[in-house]
Structures are given as structure tokens and as C-alpha cells.
Amino acid sequence: MFYCPEKYETNYPDRNAEFSLLSGELPDKQAQVTLAQFLRYNLGFGMEAISGTRPALYQEVLLKACFNRNFSMIVGARGAAKSTIAAWLSFLIPIFEPNTNILLSGPTFRTARHIFNNLEKIIGSKDATLLRQCFTENPSKRNDEFFWRINGGTIRAIPLSQDRVRGFRANVLILDEFLLLSEDVVKNVLQPFLIAPSNIGERMSITERENKLIEQGQMKESDRTVFQSTARLIALTSASYTFENAYKVYSEWLDNIYSKEEVKHAKYFVCNISHEALPEYMVEKSIIEEAKSGAELHPSFLREYCARFVDGSDSFFSAKKMHELTIKDSESPCIKLVGDPEKKYVISIDPCFSNSPTSDYFAFCVLELNEQDEKATVVHTYMEAGKDLKEHIKYFFYLLKAFNVVMICVDNADGQFISSANESSIFQENHVKINTLEYDGELQGEEYNQMLNSFKSKYNQGSKSICFKHVFNQPSIRRINEQLQTWINTSRIYFGSRLTQHDSYDSVVGAGLPQFPFTDSENRGKFIVDLISIEDDLMYQLKKQCSLIEVKSSPTGGQVFDLPASLKRNHGANRARRDGYTSLLLAIEGAVAYFNMNRAVGQKKSASLWTPIMMGKSTL
């Protein structure tokens, strides 16, 4: 269903009818202008003629809307090709509007690069002969910027670091994954890009000419030329939660559309593209049927496939509460690649020894401890599938070098990872060995105190006797899930702010990463920029995994904490996983063990019942 308020209704002339009246041969200049007008008016046909790609009908509607509105938001279901639409717009707008500067951005540089790479792929396709002729030089690809000139303008993809982007100006701002951008970034960093119009020189000339005419009495002030704004902000996003900024902007733009008041200088377009609105050839019906089987009204299905915003406060681990516990952009502590030497850190490990891309993630979670208040902040995460064990061991070694680690908690089911790490060449060459201790969080009362005192007596950070294995069984699964829920509800666990928005971003990129010696120096800069983007994204994925967890009863009467059944049916490489959530459970268990160990008084030695004395010879 489409809705257009009366204030936006315009009686456009039927340009195709005008074109049909043309006959005979046209002068070259008129032929060129007429062709450009025809292709612009018939945007779907023009897209196919220029790039060799024919957009679907709904995509043609979206392209036209983004051309005709200053502020556009596309809320699309999974598979709605949002990034593809962004790539199409990045070359269509400069072709029909010369001297246009396009800025591609998102929560991470990887997001912006993805759109740019899609653009490059389209240009390189065999049917894009005309499109290739619009680009007279090769693209420039640096660690911190992708750049391409077209028709007097530019297409630029950049990382969203505040200091990095403030110097840029653009006429069109295309933002992918808008749900991950904060209100402060959008309003104070991104929207100011659009202030300067592309035709400043032309406007100055017209204004000066009209000033003279008004002075001479040949023109009235009311007859001045009204300059139409060509600035555009195009936001592409999946549906998220109603407490996030994406929904706030979505609601504000809808209010502007439905409002009867005329908006003079800005026009808005908002749409929700559900899986039901997509052409059949773009959707795997079997996947949709599996996803909604028995869970058609599940919040995750409504967000991912129906493009509907949901509340998100009714899950076992409240998504709203975790959002509130996320450190605001530019504040500390933020995500870290190297720890603060004066801080202490806990590492948790949820191993997976399969190198299949469809396997579970191998996950690490790093907590920065606040010993005074017995709180913690997630500052680093790792989730990888399909890699060899040696790659995970290398990353583990990096974490040990980069952070002042005081406790390690590892899943006992795959506890041999510690032994594998100790036996690896990189650990042995650097004389690093992790020793495991006995710790049982299921004990209570005096038994727990005795165990804790024994644990404390054997704990030694210098000799790396800092690791224990957690046994997952029915009682412990319930306990550590309720433990994490309590930490969230009582604000004891926080999530670090994004590094791309922090003041330390440039210093982190510039300083390099000497603790990670597994990339050559030539590619190290790009590696660090990519790693920062990955870390920012994984922090969001970690909270998302937690918010998806459901509690159900097992056939034996116990509790099961797992993903919704609709998500578990997908077994592909891009399936939903929960290993980041599991690593957070283990990290909290490690933090609890460390805090309790430090508070443990220890057993006092019992006094002797008798006092020995030296017996001398009798004088009798």
C-alpha cells in the first residue's frame, strides 16, 4: 500500500506522451538532452540501459522516491537488497545530477566498503558498457577511504570516526545499517554534511543579478528565485527496537509526512518492505516457511522478515536494558584492542574445534573489571567460524599480550583448548603456559568457602595459574543464566562504546598493534581499521544474541535457554548463533570467581592445644 499526502501531490506532465510526439532527426544537443530526460523519467529502463541491470518494480519505486525526496528511509526485510539499492543510487544520482558528491557511510567502515564494492562489481559486469564510460579513472582505495570520480562529482566511502568525517561535505548522504547509528552521530556529525549546496556559484550569480533588478525597481522581492534543495539523506536499515534511535527518526519522518502543515524546504519518504512485498524470485519460500513455522508473531521474525519495529523488553535478557547499559558514543570505557595497563581483565572461552563455515562460533569475551564496585564492562569480543584451531590460538595469545588478564574461564566440554594452546609453537616459543585450577560455582555455604580458599591459595598470576573450567549441566546452566540476568537488571555489566566514535580512534590506528604480530607491516593499517569495524559490529551482535534467548521447559522438567526454534532451523553459514552469549555467561562467571576470591578471608591456622617446653636434667 502506498500513501501520499495532499501536500506532496503534484501533477507531473506526461513526459512519455511528449517524447512520442517527437519525429524526424533531432540536433545533437537536443537529442542528448532528450535522451537524458527519457532515461531519467523512465528510471527502470534507464537503469537497465546504463548498467545492464533491470530493477524489480518495487526497487524502481524506491529509486524514484529517493530521487524526489530530501529524506528517505527504507526499512527492509532480510533479502530486500538494501545495500544493492544503495550501490545503484550512488551512480544514478551523479549521472543525472552532475557535480554531485556522494558519501557512503555506516556504523563501520566495512559497511561503507561493502556498498562501494557492490558498485565496483556492477561497473565491472559485462553488460555495464555505458556505465563504465561514466568513470574516467580507476577508484582509489586507501585504508581509511575509498574514492571514485564520476561526472564532475565523487563517490566516497569512509569510516565513521568523528574526527575523520568532519572535514567532508556531500550533497547526498547514503547511510546503511541506520539502526546502529546513534542520534548524536546522525544529527551532529552526519547531517551537517548536507549544509553546503552543490551549486553555490550559480546561486550567488542569480542572487546578485536579482539584487540589482530589485534595486532598479524591475523586480519585486516576492519574485526571487526559489532554490530547490537537492540535498538528500537516504537511510537504509532493518527494523529494530522501538527504544532505539532508528525508530525515533522513523516516527519523526512519518509525523512530518502525515502532518497537514506544509514543509517548505524538505520532503520525506518512508517505507517498510516486508518479505511479502518482495517478488517470488527474490525469496526462498522454504526459508520463510521455516522461519515463521510456529513463530509468525515472534519478535525476531517480525523484525527480520516483516520489517516491523518491536518493543524488545519482554525477552529473558532485556534488549532495552542492555541498550541502556551500553556506554554512549565518545564516552569511556570503549571497545579496546589493547587494554589499560592499570586495569584488570577477565577472558572467557567458548571453543569450537570444527573448521566448517556452518559450525558454531569460536568465541572469546573480554571484561574490564571495576574492582571497587564489583562491576565489569565488555571491551572486546571474538566470534569466528570456519577457521583452523591454530588461528584461534594465535588470537588467544594476542589477548594475553594485549590485556592484563587476571582470570580465564573456559567451557569444560572443550577444555582441551588450553592444553592445545600450551602445546602450540607460539606459546612454547614465548614461554607461556596457562595452568588450570579447580573451581566449582555450584557449591554453597561452607563448602563454597573452603573451595574458594583452596582456589585462592593456588591462584598465581605470575605463573599464569589463573584459569578454571566451567562444567555446563542443568543446575549450572540455570544458575549462570540467572546470574547474567541479575547483572543486567542491577546494572553490574556494561557494554563498551564504539571505538570508531571515540577520541582514541586515530591514536589506536596510528599506534599500530604490536601485540598482534600475525600480519605483515604493509597490510597492518588496513587490518587494524577492519578489526575496529569488526569489534564495533560484534558488540551489537553480542547483545542481539542475548536478546534472542528464550527459556523453555525440557521434557525432564528442567529449563532450556536457547534461540527461537524458527532461527535454529537454518543450518547455513549465515545462521543465527548464540556462542557470543555463551562466552558472556562464562565471562561473568570468571568475574564472580575473581571478586569472591579477593573477598575471601582465608582459614586461620588453629591454635595448638599444648605448648612444648625443653626438659632439663633433674637436680635431684
Side-chain angles (χ1 to χ4, degrees):
M1 181 186 73
F2 291 94
Y3 169 77
C4 179
E6 291 183 6
K7 62 184 178 181
Y8 285 167
E9 290 182 358
T10 305
N11 293 321
Y12 291 103
D14 188 347
R15 302 304 299 271
N16 282 339
E18 295 177 8
F19 296 142
S20 66
L21 298 177
L22 296 174
S23 61
E25 293 186 4
L26 300 177
D28 287 347
K29 185 67 175 180
Q30 185 181 357
Q32 293 169 358
V33 172
T34 303
L35 176 61
Q37 291 175 338
F38 175 80
L39 296 177
R40 170 65 181 84
Y41 187 76
N42 299 276
L43 203 54
F45 179 83
M47 171 77 183
E48 184 175 13
I50 294 170
S51 68
T53 302
R54 175 71 178 180
L57 182 59
Y58 88 93
Q59 292 173 324
E60 185 174 351
V61 172
L62 298 183
L63 292 174
K64 288 183 177 180
C66 291
F67 262 89
N68 297 328
R69 297 291 182 263
N70 302 105
F71 296 93
S72 303
M73 177 179 287
I74 300 173
V75 183
R78 184 177 296 185
K82 299 182 290 293
S83 297
T84 301
I85 292 172
W88 291 347
L89 287 168
S90 64
F91 69 78
L92 282 175
I93 295 176
I95 286 176
F96 291 110
E97 299 176 10
N99 306 316
T100 296
N101 294 317
I102 305 281
L103 195 63
L104 306 174
S105 195
T108 66
F109 188 32
R110 184 173 57 172
T111 303
R113 287 205 318 260
H114 178 64
I115 299 175
F116 196 96
N117 290 334
N118 276 350
L119 167 64
E120 193 172 13
K121 184 177 180 181
I122 294 169
I123 295 170
S125 62
K126 64 178 182 178
D127 295 326
T129 305
L130 292 178
L131 180 58
R132 277 194 294 274
Q133 296 177 19
C134 298
F135 294 84
T136 58
E137 57 185 63
N138 293 326
S140 170
K141 292 186 176 183
R142 303 198 322 233
N143 293 335
D144 57 351
E145 179 186 343
F146 283 16
F147 178 85
W148 215 342
R149 298 187 185 278
I150 175 175
N151 202 18
T154 60
I155 303 171
R156 193 187 308 266
I158 60 172
L160 202 56
S161 165
Q162 294 197 36
D163 293 335
R164 181 76 183 86
V165 300
R166 289 189 187 275
F168 292 115
R169 288 294 176 266
N171 315 112
V172 179
L173 188 57
I174 300 177
L175 303 176
D176 201 9
E177 297 185 14
F178 188 75
L179 76 163
L180 299 179
L181 299 175
S182 67
E183 181 179 8
D184 178 68
V185 169
V186 174
K187 288 189 174 182
N188 299 328
V189 179
L190 295 174
Q191 286 189 1
F193 288 166
L194 306 175
I195 292 176
S198 59
N199 58 341
I200 293 180
E202 180 184 353
R203 293 189 179 197
M204 287 179 61
S205 177
I206 294 174
T207 301
E208 290 173 356
R209 185 168 62 252
E210 291 179 347
N211 287 340
K212 292 180 180 179
L213 293 174
I214 291 173
E215 290 176 1
Q216 297 170 1
Q218 300 179 25
M219 179 177 178
K220 296 180 180 179
E221 188 71 34
S222 58
D223 295 331
R224 278 190 180 274
T225 301
V226 177
F227 298 107
Q228 295 294 325
S229 173
T230 58
R232 298 186 186 88
L233 191 157
I234 301 169
L236 304 111
T237 183
S238 300
S240 60
Y241 298 104
T242 55
F243 54 78
E244 292 182 319
N245 182 59
Y247 180 74
K248 180 181 179 181
V249 176
Y250 170 85
S251 301
E252 289 177 353
W253 291 5
L254 275 180
D255 290 341
N256 291 335
I257 292 172
Y258 285 108
S259 172
K260 294 183 179 180
E261 296 181 7
E262 181 70 28
V263 181
K264 294 183 179 180
H265 301 293
K267 294 183 178 180
Y268 296 84
F269 168 74
V270 171
C271 74
N272 297 71
I273 304 296
S274 168
H275 70 91
E276 297 172 318
L278 301 178
E280 291 186 1
Y281 60 83
M282 292 184 64
V283 180
E284 288 289 348
K285 287 188 176 181
S286 59
I287 299 297
I288 299 295
E289 292 299 325
E290 283 291 324
K292 71 179 183 181
S293 176
E296 192 166 356
L297 297 179
H298 192 278
S300 63
F301 182 81
L302 295 178
R303 288 198 319 270
E304 297 291 335
Y305 294 98
C306 299
R308 289 170 55 181
F309 291 90
V310 298
D311 179 72
S313 60
D314 54 352
S315 55
F316 186 78
F317 302 109
S318 171
K320 183 176 182 179
K321 184 65 176 179
M322 287 187 287
H323 176 76
E324 294 171 351
L325 293 173
T326 302
I327 308 299
K328 293 182 179 180
D329 285 344
S330 77
E331 295 184 4
S332 297
C334 65
I335 292 170
K336 297 182 177 180
L337 303 188
V338 179
D340 186 337
E342 298 180 357
K343 298 288 186 178
K344 296 179 180 178
Y345 298 87
V346 170
I347 293 179
S348 65
I349 311 170
D350 182 22
C352 175
F353 291 98
S354 172
N355 59 4
S356 168
T358 62
S359 68
D360 290 342
Y361 285 137
F362 192 113
F364 294 110
C365 183
V366 181
L367 298 184
E368 181 175 286
L369 301 181
N370 179 345
E371 293 186 89
Q372 181 177 355
D373 300 325
E374 293 195 352
K375 297 181 179 181
T377 304
V378 181
V379 295
H380 195 96
T381 52
Y382 173 90
M383 302 179 210
E384 288 284 355
K387 286 192 174 182
D388 292 334
L389 178 62
K390 63 180 181 181
E391 297 299 322
H392 304 310
I393 292 175
K394 286 180 179 180
Y395 204 91
F396 182 40
F397 179 80
Y398 148 66
L399 293 177
L400 293 174
K401 288 294 183 180
F403 295 90
N404 178 26
V405 181
V406 297
M407 190 68 71
I408 301 171
C409 180
V410 59
D411 182 3
N412 182 70
D414 293 302
Q416 66 265 35
F417 172 72
I418 297 298
S419 299
S420 301
N422 288 335
E423 295 170 1
S424 67
S425 58
I426 188 170
F427 270 63
Q428 293 187 357
E429 289 171 1
N430 289 275
H431 308 289
V432 176
K433 182 180 180 182
I434 306 298
N435 297 306
T436 57
L437 308 174
E438 294 296 326
Y439 177 87
D440 188 352
E442 298 308 301
L443 299 176
Q444 298 180 359
E446 186 59 30
E447 288 184 331
Y448 181 79
N449 291 334
Q450 291 179 1
M451 178 276 301
L452 196 61
N453 285 323
S454 174
F455 181 81
K456 183 175 182 178
S457 66
K458 297 175 183 177
Y459 174 89
N460 189 313
Q461 189 178 356
S463 65
K464 291 291 189 292
S465 298
I466 56 175
C467 179
F468 69 91
K469 300 177 182 179
H470 176 80
V471 178
F472 279 99
N473 51 41
Q474 198 168 82
S476 73
I477 290 173
R478 176 175 178 175
R479 178 183 63 81
I480 62 175
N481 274 278
E482 292 177 347
Q483 180 173 262
L484 174 57
Q485 185 190 54
T486 300
W487 274 55
I488 292 173
N489 292 341
T490 58
S491 302
R492 292 186 65 190
I493 180 68
Y494 293 86
F495 302 88
S497 62
R498 284 177 288 192
L499 182 51
T500 50
Q501 296 302 307
H502 200 266
D503 293 339
S504 62
Y505 175 84
D506 287 335
S507 61
V508 171
V509 174
L513 203 58
Q515 293 86 354
F516 202 100
F518 312 112
T519 57
D520 56 84
S521 57
E522 181 180 351
N523 295 319
R524 187 163 295 174
K526 180 179 182 301
F527 171 81
I528 295 172
V529 172
D530 286 349
L531 183 58
I532 292 173
S533 296
I534 291 170
E535 283 299 313
D536 281 356
D537 180 59
L538 288 181
M539 187 67 73
Y540 172 79
Q541 296 300 330
L542 172 65
K543 292 179 287 185
K544 185 177 181 180
Q545 287 183 23
C546 292
S547 67
L548 289 174
I549 296 301
E550 293 182 337
V551 186
K552 299 179 181 178
S553 297
S554 67
T556 59
Q559 288 184 321
V560 177
F561 299 80
D562 208 343
L563 296 172
S566 58
L567 296 180
K568 292 183 65 179
R569 293 189 181 98
N570 184 359
H571 302 289
N574 295 322
R575 66 185 177 88
R577 296 172 172 87
R578 61 170 190 164
D579 308 290
Y581 140 79
T582 306
S583 70
L584 182 58
L585 290 176
L586 295 171
I588 298 298
E589 182 74 349
V592 168
Y594 184 78
F595 290 146
N596 289 346
M597 179 189 70
N598 285 342
R599 283 191 280 104
V601 177
Q603 282 187 314
K604 296 181 180 180
K605 293 183 178 180
S606 57
S608 300
L609 299 178
W610 56 277
T611 303
I613 59 174
M614 179 67 72
M615 301 295 293
K617 293 183 179 179
S618 175
T619 56
L620 297 177

